[in-house]
PDB file of all heavy atoms in Angstrom:
ATOM      1  N   ASP O 140      36.952 -67.371 -26.337  1.00  0.00           N
ATOM      2  CA  ASP O 140      38.179 -67.773 -27.045  1.00  0.00           C
ATOM      3  C   ASP O 140      38.815 -69.013 -26.427  1.00  0.00           C
ATOM      4  O   ASP O 140      39.625 -69.682 -27.075  1.00  0.00           O
ATOM      5  CB  ASP O 140      39.162 -66.595 -27.084  1.00  0.00           C
ATOM      6  CG  ASP O 140      38.588 -65.430 -27.891  1.00  0.00           C
ATOM      7  OD1 ASP O 140      37.622 -65.674 -28.654  1.00  0.00           O
ATOM      8  OD2 ASP O 140      39.090 -64.298 -27.749  1.00  0.00           O
ATOM      9  N   LEU O 194      40.212 -48.464 -33.554  1.00  0.00           N
ATOM     10  CA  LEU O 194      40.101 -49.494 -34.591  1.00  0.00           C
ATOM     11  C   LEU O 194      38.679 -50.022 -34.603  1.00  0.00           C
ATOM     12  O   LEU O 194      38.105 -50.273 -33.543  1.00  0.00           O
ATOM     13  CB  LEU O 194      41.056 -50.629 -34.201  1.00  0.00           C
ATOM     14  CG  LEU O 194      41.513 -51.620 -35.250  1.00  0.00           C
ATOM     15  CD1 LEU O 194      42.308 -50.904 -36.316  1.00  0.00           C
ATOM     16  CD2 LEU O 194      42.354 -52.705 -34.601  1.00  0.00           C
ATOM     17  N   SER O 227      30.479 -57.759 -31.143  1.00  0.00           N
ATOM     18  CA  SER O 227      29.875 -57.649 -32.489  1.00  0.00           C
ATOM     19  C   SER O 227      29.793 -59.009 -33.168  1.00  0.00           C
ATOM     20  O   SER O 227      28.936 -59.218 -34.016  1.00  0.00           O
ATOM     21  CB  SER O 227      30.691 -56.685 -33.352  1.00  0.00           C
ATOM     22  OG  SER O 227      31.974 -57.232 -33.557  1.00  0.00           O
ATOM     23  N   VAL O 319      33.590 -47.387 -39.043  1.00  0.00           N
ATOM     24  CA  VAL O 319      32.568 -47.075 -38.027  1.00  0.00           C
ATOM     25  C   VAL O 319      33.279 -46.371 -36.874  1.00  0.00           C
ATOM     26  O   VAL O 319      34.123 -46.965 -36.215  1.00  0.00           O
ATOM     27  CB  VAL O 319      31.897 -48.371 -37.507  1.00  0.00           C
ATOM     28  CG1 VAL O 319      30.833 -48.022 -36.466  1.00  0.00           C
ATOM     29  CG2 VAL O 319      31.321 -49.182 -38.657  1.00  0.00           C
TER      30      VAL O 319
HETATM   31  C1  LIG K 113      39.817 -48.019 -27.281  1.00  0.00           C
HETATM   32  C2  LIG K 113      38.909 -48.657 -28.305  1.00  0.00           C
HETATM   33  C3  LIG K 113      38.372 -47.876 -29.295  1.00  0.00           C
HETATM   34  C4  LIG K 113      37.510 -48.468 -30.228  1.00  0.00           C
HETATM   35  N1  LIG K 113      36.961 -47.666 -31.184  1.00  0.00           N
HETATM   36  C5  LIG K 113      36.110 -48.237 -32.059  1.00  0.00           C
HETATM   37  C6  LIG K 113      35.504 -47.443 -33.085  1.00  0.00           C
HETATM   38  O1  LIG K 113      35.727 -46.231 -33.189  1.00  0.00           O
HETATM   39  N2  LIG K 113      34.627 -48.052 -33.920  1.00  0.00           N
HETATM   40  C7  LIG K 113      34.332 -49.389 -33.812  1.00  0.00           C
HETATM   41  O2  LIG K 113      33.522 -49.908 -34.585  1.00  0.00           O
HETATM   42  N3  LIG K 113      34.909 -50.189 -32.864  1.00  0.00           N
HETATM   43  C8  LIG K 113      35.773 -49.618 -32.007  1.00  0.00           C
HETATM   44  N4  LIG K 113      36.355 -50.399 -31.041  1.00  0.00           N
HETATM   45  C9  LIG K 113      35.977 -51.825 -30.932  1.00  0.00           C
HETATM   46  C10 LIG K 113      37.021 -52.653 -31.656  1.00  0.00           C
HETATM   47  O3  LIG K 113      36.995 -52.333 -32.990  1.00  0.00           O
HETATM   48  C11 LIG K 113      36.546 -54.085 -31.474  1.00  0.00           C
HETATM   49  O4  LIG K 113      36.749 -54.413 -30.120  1.00  0.00           O
HETATM   50  C12 LIG K 113      37.364 -55.055 -32.315  1.00  0.00           C
HETATM   51  O5  LIG K 113      37.198 -54.721 -33.645  1.00  0.00           O
HETATM   52  C13 LIG K 113      36.855 -56.472 -32.144  1.00  0.00           C
HETATM   53  O6  LIG K 113      35.470 -56.492 -32.292  1.00  0.00           O
HETATM   54  P1  LIG K 113      34.616 -57.189 -31.176  1.00  0.00           P
HETATM   55  O7  LIG K 113      35.151 -56.858 -29.846  1.00  0.00           O
HETATM   56  O8  LIG K 113      33.192 -56.907 -31.429  1.00  0.00           O
HETATM   57  O9  LIG K 113      34.950 -58.748 -31.455  1.00  0.00           O
HETATM   58  P2  LIG K 113      34.025 -59.892 -32.039  1.00  0.00           P
HETATM   59  O10 LIG K 113      33.826 -59.712 -33.496  1.00  0.00           O
HETATM   60  O11 LIG K 113      32.814 -60.095 -31.202  1.00  0.00           O
HETATM   61  O12 LIG K 113      35.082 -61.101 -31.773  1.00  0.00           O
HETATM   62  C14 LIG K 113      34.929 -62.320 -32.387  1.00  0.00           C
HETATM   63  C15 LIG K 113      36.256 -63.063 -32.264  1.00  0.00           C
HETATM   64  O13 LIG K 113      37.263 -62.356 -33.007  1.00  0.00           O
HETATM   65  C16 LIG K 113      38.538 -62.521 -32.361  1.00  0.00           C
HETATM   66  N5  LIG K 113      39.016 -61.194 -31.946  1.00  0.00           N
HETATM   67  C17 LIG K 113      38.293 -60.054 -31.756  1.00  0.00           C
HETATM   68  N6  LIG K 113      39.108 -59.035 -31.354  1.00  0.00           N
HETATM   69  C18 LIG K 113      40.371 -59.570 -31.311  1.00  0.00           C
HETATM   70  C19 LIG K 113      41.648 -59.052 -30.942  1.00  0.00           C
HETATM   71  N7  LIG K 113      41.783 -57.766 -30.562  1.00  0.00           N
HETATM   72  N8  LIG K 113      42.730 -59.896 -30.982  1.00  0.00           N
HETATM   73  C20 LIG K 113      42.595 -61.178 -31.381  1.00  0.00           C
HETATM   74  N9  LIG K 113      41.411 -61.751 -31.720  1.00  0.00           N
HETATM   75  C21 LIG K 113      40.321 -60.956 -31.688  1.00  0.00           C
HETATM   76  C22 LIG K 113      38.300 -63.444 -31.154  1.00  0.00           C
HETATM   77  O14 LIG K 113      38.491 -64.785 -31.554  1.00  0.00           O
HETATM   78  C23 LIG K 113      36.820 -63.196 -30.853  1.00  0.00           C
HETATM   79  O15 LIG K 113      36.200 -64.269 -30.175  1.00  0.00           O
HETATM   80  C24 LIG K 113      37.214 -49.850 -30.142  1.00  0.00           C
HETATM   81  C25 LIG K 113      37.788 -50.659 -29.135  1.00  0.00           C
HETATM   82  C26 LIG K 113      38.622 -50.059 -28.234  1.00  0.00           C
HETATM   83  C27 LIG K 113      39.208 -50.941 -27.155  1.00  0.00           C
END
Side-chain angles (χ1 to χ4, degrees):
D140 296 343
L194 200 63
S227 65
V319 181

